[in-house]
Amino acid sequence: MSREQRPNPRLNEDLLFNEAPGGPPRYSPMTAGPVHYLTIADREGEVIGYAWANDEDDAAGWEVRKAGGDEAFNKGARWARKLHDAKARGVAPTAALAEMIQESDLTKSSHVVPGSLAEAPNLGYVEGLANQE
């Protein structure tokens, strides 16, 4: 005796996605303009990534150095959090970079490379640095 199984109509309904307003404030992850950026290294001096900012578009972000692997990704979370925290306090993107320089500590697991603040013509340049082997 075989019982025919009826399909559950709830499993056939389209799912609706309604984006909820709110959430923590974030800098824009994109800009077409020039960016300022910092090089971040670990204790051994290996570059793990780049923090970048553009005030005009209220944009800033963290680009992990792909060649650094999981370790660079994990250490980079600290720098991404610093950007999130700065935005939550209403700090301009390039001022957030300045804070990173001031608060950098060479004894931590990662730090701002001294004298690394530079300007790039666009975000693509910084992404290219992060993707180099």
Side-chain angles (χ1 to χ4, degrees):
M1 286 189 215
S2 164
R3 288 173 65 170
E4 187 175 324
Q5 190 173 9
R6 289 189 225 162
N8 184 333
R10 290 189 326 183
L11 298 177
N12 294 326
E13 293 175 5
D14 288 336
L15 295 177
L16 298 176
F17 176 73
N18 295 319
E19 187 173 343
R26 299 275 194 240
Y27 293 116
S28 173
M30 297 177 289
T31 181
V35 297
H36 290 88
Y37 69 95
L38 296 171
T39 302
I40 310 297
D42 64 15
R43 274 193 198 127
E44 291 74 38
E46 285 292 317
V47 174
I48 63 166
Y50 305 89
W52 60 268
N54 171 291
D55 287 342
E56 186 176 309
D57 293 328
D58 194 36
W62 166 255
E63 293 294 327
V64 67
R65 184 170 171 252
K66 305 298 186 262
D70 292 340
E71 190 171 338
F73 180 84
N74 291 336
K75 288 178 181 175
R78 173 178 171 226
W79 300 95
R81 268 193 315 275
K82 285 183 176 285
L83 289 171
H84 296 314
D85 293 346
K87 177 61 176 174
R89 291 183 286 114
V91 176
T94 57
L97 294 185
E99 285 183 356
M100 289 179 175
I101 293 169
Q102 290 174 345
E103 297 170 0
S104 186
D105 183 348
L106 297 177
T107 65
K108 298 284 186 187
S109 64
S110 59
H111 62 274
V112 174
V113 173
S116 69
L117 180 62
E119 188 171 347
N122 53 48
L123 178 55
Y125 179 87
V126 178
E127 291 171 336
L129 290 174
N131 287 323
Q132 287 179 354
E133 289 298 319

